[in-house]
Amino acid sequence: MTETQSLPPELASIADFIRQTLPFNALPEGEVERIVHEMEIGYFRNGHVFNENTRDQGLRILRSGAVEIRSQDGELLDRLAEGESFALSGLLQQEPGVRAVLIEDSLIYFLPQKAYQDLRGRFRDFDRFFHGQRSRRLFRATRSMVSPDGMLTPVTSLMATDLVTTSEETPVCELAEMMSSRRVSSALVLNDGKLSGIVTDRDLRSRVLAARRSPDTPVSEIMTADPVSLERKATLFDATLLMTRHRMHHLPVLEDRRPVGILTTSDLITARQDDPVYIVQRLSRQESVATMQTVLRDIPQFLLRWTDAGVPADQVSHILTAISDTVTNRLIEMALDELGPAPVPFAWLCFGSQARAEQLLNADQDNGLVIADEATDEDVAWFEKLATRVSDWLNECGYVYCNGNVMATNPFWRRRLTGWYEAVDNWVTSFSPHHVMEISIAFDLRTVHGDASLTSRVQSHMLERVRANSIFQAALAENVLEGSPPIGIFRRFVVERNGDHKDTLNLKKRGLLPIIEIVRLHALASGVDRINTLERLDELARGKHMTRYDARNLQDALRFLMQVRLQVQADQIREGEELSNYCNPRNLPKLAREQLRDAFQLVDSAQKSVRLAYRQGMR
Amino acid sequence: MWLTRARRERARRRYARHPFPDPTLQRLLASPWPDTNALWDEVDWLAIDLETTGLDPKTGYIISFGWVAVDRGRIRLDTARHLLIDSRNLVGDSATIHHIRDTDRSEGVDLPSALRMLARAMTDRLPVMHHAPLDTGFLRAAYREQFGMDWFQPTADTLVLEKKRLFQREQTMPGNVLRLNRCRERYGLPETNAHNALEDALACGELFMAWARHFGGDGPRVKDCLSRV
């Protein structure tokens, strides 16, 4: 027997401990046992400092005790407890002068730099974990998701770019020649380089030949002016949605109002697999509530398929929202068929998560109506009928009545345009805390059907009034600060103490809503007119109302929380349980649990910055 | 301590004149007396634990050895060893207490090999044990029996050190207060699964470090650590 014998199995207790910590739990079998040999154990007193001058750099894992990571200026960056680890060399690269100060007597397992770097070199997940501190960790988690399926790829991947363009004065015969020689079915009409119209084969047939017009007719007379178009960054899904809704086969793709490509129905058919678009299309063709229900019944199963295929949560929400939109649209059309056309222009609004395109299953309905000012009292009464019809049908389709009665059936949410102005003025001048919470949902609004210009006028009025009113902003801020993220000292989760949801935490209430509300507040205060939370953050960063760093962090936290919630709901569907937003952190994989903590901590710091920013108006 | 030193010096002189036939053991015997004024984390230690049958070296046997080095203030896990002694004579309740089953024993080493390996590990290191008299008694008997060698090394005993510390602070001492896990608890060290020689050696090494870090000032000097025998 020699001294180079294998490691005593009794170090297994150390290996067991390490294997349970992050990110060692992700290492392949046998790796932890191997590195245990290279480790050292040290004991240090409360107050001991590790800094750039510490002789040995490497990874330190807390076996017991606690440590604070502080910046050069003494600012607390992180607090780590048993089972957590830090590598000063890495932290120093990001944050010169950073130090680790023990705040309890601690027993520390030390992995020397060489072995630590070796692991990082060989295992990607392990490396990622240490590639920066918590926000980076989370950033990585959300970015490494599986790439979205075909329908979520940008239109640019499929559009044709060799465009046939022409001017408004060109005679149709010339254009027809051009189109046949280039073998295309459509041509774009430009005015000063910008898109002014579109001409398709069908237009030549029906508007020229069938109408017996002269071949010399200028294109401007037969073209479809100001055609529906897409922005460059739109997805194939968006494209299909537009085509279905407007019953068109050609979609110009624009960048700064200049055409860069064109997308046709057949392009899309080739890209279509077993995808959400199909459902949306089917829904838009249903003639009765009953058949619509049949289509909707399969949605949970589809949701499972999307999550399994790795479609990110924000995209799943996007799809589910599109489905709600389609259902609502179709029901409104059905109601209009029954009641006859609307007497005056109107906009059917959705509020809250549907407006933000952040819906999940089991969303209730939050809607309203903006009616053009010329409506007589009789006309307004007509809209009550419309509202009732649509709201009842929505309920039958599974979008249950709103608890808070935020529905177009409620006259409070069904007004003439000027009525909305008055309401908004009222909200921002005389409010109570309860009231603020109730109406804050209305600041996330979007047109589902009808005249979108009515909605945007309501929205700009809102932005104007809120932006000018720091007292109201402070009231919103107080509302935002109401709930604190469920993280206690030493980053332990604070779970529900009793009741049906004992030992769980409410992801929506404690994580998602605080982010959404914080972002809404910033958006309103900065006059950002986006509604989707991720887009609001983009816009806030672009307008320098928020640092790009903070915006990214919140986006990552939001994406991650959405992802966990989606996963929780997918599991609930699988188990046949009732859907909820409750999650038991113990049921999460260790890495996800850690990331959840990170996400909550970001929410916490975002709340703190709200407190600072809006403090002035607060009581 | 002077007694240990005297015995040890006598043995050293004897072995200097007649080198011990086994070079490993000779190196241990020839190693110099430590600088007792050095700080504890300027020298190297070896935390050792033995599992034995019974408490008396005359009738009992060593079942297993566990040790790990505490070099310059830190435990080096690459030095950790756990040796089960392959002996047909193992009997009695001790084997049950120590969770040693026949299957464990089948992979053991014989006692002389184990003692040689321990000697090599102890060379240029100072032994640390929890409740040392028991273990040193067994070791001394074993070295004498197997090699005819007198083994005397100055030793630190965490039980004695901890007792001294508590006594200085004039605490009343209820029973069990010096048990390894109870001592560890006072320093915020995690509880260990007792009765495995290596884990106990590790636990003892960690306790030793914790004790030293709580000593105050620059930490204890070597002479503050070593026991009187």
Side-chain angles (χ1 to χ4, degrees):
Chain A
M1 192 134 222
T2 66
E3 271 210 67
T4 55
Q5 62 170 334
S6 67
L7 183 80
E10 285 68 26
L11 286 181
S13 61
I14 295 176
D16 281 348
F17 176 80
I18 291 170
R19 213 178 294 110
Q20 282 169 30
T21 69
L22 284 169
F24 291 92
N25 59 341
L27 290 178
E29 195 109 348
E31 283 298 331
V32 170
E33 287 74 1
R34 203 183 53 77
I35 56 151
V36 164
H37 303 212
E38 309 188 38
M39 300 187 82
E40 296 176 350
I41 305 176
Y43 180 93
F44 303 90
R45 296 287 301 276
N46 181 354
H48 185 91
V49 177
F50 298 98
N51 58 24
E52 51 207 323
N53 300 323
T54 302
R55 184 168 40 119
D56 295 299
Q57 296 297 346
L59 183 69
R60 292 187 160 84
I61 308 166
L62 286 169
R63 175 61 185 90
S64 64
V67 66
E68 285 180 348
I69 311 290
R70 288 187 177 272
S71 73
Q72 201 159 19
D73 318 324
E75 190 200 346
L76 180 64
L77 300 177
D78 206 350
R79 182 174 285 157
L80 307 173
E82 182 183 313
E84 298 187 289
S85 49
F86 62 97
L88 220 48
S89 54
L91 295 176
L92 280 162
Q93 272 173 18
Q94 283 177 50
E95 180 94 27
V98 76
R99 60 186 194 271
V101 185
L102 295 184
I103 54 170
E104 284 175 20
D105 293 344
S106 303
L107 188 66
I108 295 180
Y109 292 168
F110 173 73
L111 182 64
Q113 187 76 355
K114 190 169 160 293
Y116 165 59
Q117 290 301 348
D118 173 62
L119 282 181
R120 288 188 59 172
R122 289 193 301 135
F123 302 105
R124 223 171 123 235
D125 287 342
F126 186 89
D127 177 56
R128 263 201 213 138
F129 182 83
F130 290 108
H131 208 274
Q133 266 219 284
R134 95 159 57 91
S135 53
R136 293 283 281 280
R137 191 194 309 172
L138 198 60
F139 169 78
R140 295 282 176 151
T142 56
R143 299 300 139 106
S144 62
M145 305 229 169
V146 193
S147 67
D149 75 347
M151 286 321 285
L152 300 168
T153 50
V155 285
T156 45
S157 67
L158 222 63
M159 67 185 188
T161 49
D162 72 319
L163 303 174
V164 171
T165 56
T166 184
S167 63
E168 291 181 354
E169 312 83 60
T170 314
V172 256
C173 57
E174 260 180 49
L175 177 63
E177 263 171 51
M178 228 155 55
M179 286 167 66
S180 44
S181 73
R182 297 272 296 271
R183 296 171 169 275
V184 296
S185 58
S186 64
L188 300 178
V189 186
L190 302 187
N191 184 0
D192 196 17
K194 298 195 168 137
L195 182 72
S196 68
I198 184 169
V199 178
T200 64
D201 273 352
R202 194 172 166 180
D203 296 333
L204 294 175
R205 206 163 57 233
S206 57
R207 293 184 192 161
V208 184
L209 292 175
R212 294 172 192 280
R213 288 203 197 184
S214 143
D216 297 321
T217 315
V219 165
S220 58
E221 280 183 30
I222 63 129
M223 70 182 187
T224 305
D226 298 323
V228 177
S229 62
L230 274 176
E231 281 298 314
R232 217 189 137 87
K233 61 173 187 193
T235 63
L236 294 181
F237 179 57
D238 298 327
T240 315
L241 218 54
L242 267 186
M243 288 186 180
T244 314
R245 198 169 292 160
H246 296 277
R247 300 205 165 81
M248 26 181 308
H249 306 282
H250 297 82
L251 264 184
V253 180
L254 306 186
E255 187 171 23
D256 285 340
R257 297 189 52 210
R258 288 166 202 281
V260 290
I262 192 155
L263 201 68
T264 67
T265 329
S266 55
D267 293 336
L268 286 175
I269 289 165
T270 56
R272 182 165 81 193
Q273 304 135 7
D274 173 27
D275 62 47
V277 174
Y278 178 66
I279 308 166
V280 170
Q281 266 177 355
R282 267 180 75 198
L283 280 171
S284 69
R285 288 188 199 123
Q286 298 311 310
E287 298 291 337
S288 73
V289 173
T291 56
M292 215 162 225
Q293 284 168 335
T294 345
V295 181
L296 288 169
R297 202 176 302 145
D298 294 332
I299 304 280
Q301 290 312 313
F302 281 112
L303 180 120
L304 282 186
R305 215 174 299 166
W306 300 327
T307 46
D308 290 346
V311 179
D314 57 327
Q315 297 286 11
V316 170
S317 287
H318 197 71
I319 295 167
L320 290 172
T321 306
I323 289 172
S324 318
D325 285 3
T326 309
V327 171
T328 314
N329 251 300
R330 188 68 199 109
L331 292 177
I332 293 170
E333 283 170 8
M334 281 161 53
L336 291 176
D337 284 349
E338 201 182 300
L339 301 171
V344 295
F346 71 99
W348 181 278
L349 307 179
C350 61
F351 296 114
S353 63
Q354 190 181 357
R356 293 191 306 268
E358 289 163 10
Q359 271 187 318
L360 260 193
L361 290 179
N362 270 22
D364 58 358
Q365 49 170 305
D366 296 313
N367 46 44
L369 270 169
V370 192
I371 304 163
D373 275 335
E374 64 259 37
T376 60
D377 287 350
E378 202 181 314
D379 294 338
V380 173
W382 181 92
F383 281 104
E384 186 182 355
K385 274 191 282 178
L386 175 75
T388 311
R389 198 63 46 96
V390 175
S391 175
D392 288 350
W393 283 341
L394 278 172
N395 186 55
E396 286 173 43
C397 285
Y399 300 95
V400 296
Y401 297 124
C402 169
N403 271 335
N405 205 9
V406 181
M407 292 188 289
T409 45
N410 178 352
F412 187 86
W413 301 104
R414 185 181 72 240
R415 297 163 182 264
R416 290 190 185 91
L417 184 57
T418 42
W420 279 98
Y421 290 164
E422 280 161 24
V424 171
D425 292 349
N426 221 348
W427 296 346
V428 301
T429 46
S430 54
F431 50 82
S432 65
H434 169 70
H435 193 59
V436 167
M437 194 184 68
E438 208 172 44
I439 56 161
S440 63
I441 188 180
F443 291 102
D444 300 342
L445 77 173
R446 189 166 53 85
T447 322
V448 180
H449 186 103
D451 185 350
S453 70
L454 289 169
T455 317
S456 48
R457 280 151 80 183
V458 173
Q459 198 197 0
S460 14
H461 189 78
M462 281 176 175
L463 284 174
E464 221 171 87
R465 288 305 141 101
V466 176
R467 204 176 179 182
N469 189 334
S470 65
I471 310 263
F472 184 69
Q473 287 172 20
L476 282 174
E478 264 172 24
N479 184 42
V480 163
L481 297 174
E482 206 92 303
S484 59
I487 290 284
I489 193 150
F490 289 153
R491 320 212 314 136
R492 288 192 215 292
F493 289 114
V494 178
V495 292
E496 307 281 323
R497 292 264 166 71
N498 35 41
D500 284 351
H501 300 294
K502 192 169 181 295
D503 295 333
T504 63
L505 37 92
N506 189 329
L507 291 170
K508 184 177 177 187
K509 200 172 127 206
R510 313 291 298 262
L512 288 163
L513 279 183
I515 296 180
I516 289 163
E517 286 171 350
I518 288 166
V519 176
R520 179 198 296 134
L521 170 62
H522 287 310
L524 289 173
S526 318
V528 166
D529 63 355
R530 300 302 164 100
I531 299 296
N532 178 272
T533 307
L534 294 171
E535 287 178 17
R536 274 176 170 167
L537 283 164
D538 273 337
E539 202 59 34
L540 283 166
R542 198 170 303 136
K544 305 245 188 296
H545 302 296
M546 199 181 221
T547 67
R548 181 144 299 271
Y549 179 78
D550 287 344
R552 285 246 172 92
N553 275 350
L554 278 181
Q555 284 180 333
D556 290 339
L558 182 71
R559 280 204 188 94
F560 182 75
L561 288 166
M562 287 170 86
Q563 197 65 40
V564 175
R565 182 174 68 148
L566 178 64
Q567 210 56 56
V568 166
Q569 293 208 345
D571 290 343
Q572 288 165 343
I573 294 171
R574 240 176 241 119
E575 300 295 321
E577 290 168 15
E578 204 177 318
L579 294 185
S580 78
N581 292 306
Y582 285 94
C583 159
N584 185 339
R586 281 178 200 285
N587 295 342
L588 292 174
K590 187 127 186 169
L591 188 62
R593 215 183 309 162
E594 214 50 32
Q595 286 160 343
L596 190 60
R597 255 192 261 271
D598 293 349
F600 282 132
Q601 216 141 44
L602 285 170
V603 174
D604 185 52
S605 50
Q607 283 193 336
K608 287 194 181 109
S609 67
V610 163
R611 203 183 298 274
L612 284 179
Y614 300 92
R615 170 170 61 185
Q616 283 176 331
M618 284 192 195
R619 284 166 293 175
Chain B
M1 191 158 60
W2 61 270
L3 187 58
T4 317
R5 182 159 191 179
R7 282 175 180 161
R8 161 93 200 205
E9 281 305 301
R10 202 169 56 211
R12 211 162 86 92
R13 278 198 298 275
R14 190 167 77 234
Y15 293 124
R17 287 195 298 274
H18 310 286
F20 206 77
D22 187 310
T24 306
L25 299 178
Q26 173 61 25
R27 262 199 299 281
L28 172 66
L29 293 167
S31 63
W33 189 258
D35 172 6
T36 53
N37 279 318
L39 288 172
W40 79 283
D41 54 0
E42 291 170 347
V43 302
D44 299 338
W45 304 81
L46 190 73
I48 305 171
D49 186 63
L50 308 183
E51 308 293 357
T52 57
T53 65
L55 303 173
D56 183 357
K58 288 195 194 85
T59 54
Y61 300 89
I62 299 173
I63 304 170
S64 64
F65 291 82
W67 69 73
V68 66
V70 188
D71 290 353
R72 321 265 147 171
R74 48 172 73 184
I75 291 177
R76 281 177 47 198
L77 290 179
D78 59 336
T79 63
R81 294 289 179 275
H82 189 224
L83 305 179
L84 303 172
I85 303 310
D86 187 12
S87 158
R88 309 292 153 202
N89 303 325
L90 285 184
V91 279
D93 298 334
S94 232
T96 336
I97 292 173
H98 296 140
H99 300 295
I100 292 174
R101 303 180 308 271
D102 287 342
T103 47
D104 294 327
R105 261 187 289 151
S106 63
E107 290 182 67
V109 298
D110 61 17
L111 187 58
S113 306
L115 289 169
R116 255 187 234 108
M117 288 165 70
L118 176 62
R120 191 179 311 171
M122 284 194 298
T123 303
D124 298 324
R125 291 200 180 99
L126 295 165
V128 186
M129 304 175 208
H130 194 73
H131 192 27
L134 184 70
D135 291 359
T136 49
F138 270 90
L139 280 180
R140 199 166 294 136
Y143 275 113
R144 189 173 298 136
E145 219 169 84
Q146 299 295 328
F147 303 110
M149 168 188 131
D150 288 326
W151 174 74
F152 292 106
Q153 257 185 300
T155 303
D157 185 339
T158 44
L159 185 144
V160 172
L161 297 173
E162 185 64 3
K163 189 172 171 183
K164 221 173 1 183
R165 185 181 77 102
L166 293 180
F167 190 68
Q168 264 173 10
R169 290 167 54 188
E170 289 176 274
Q171 287 181 356
T172 53
M173 248 183 281
N176 289 344
V177 78
L178 293 172
R179 291 279 276 278
L180 190 54
N181 261 326
R182 294 291 302 278
C183 293
R184 290 170 57 87
E185 223 179 277
R186 285 191 288 273
Y187 294 103
L189 293 168
E191 196 177 336
T192 67
N193 177 20
H195 292 305
N196 158 323
L198 176 55
E199 285 191 345
D200 276 356
L202 266 169
C204 164
E206 289 174 357
L207 174 61
F208 180 58
M209 293 193 300
W211 169 84
R213 295 284 185 210
H214 279 260
F215 190 83
D218 293 338
R221 301 193 175 272
V222 170
K223 63 182 173 198
D224 298 319
C225 304
L226 297 178
S227 304
R228 299 164 207 284
V229 178

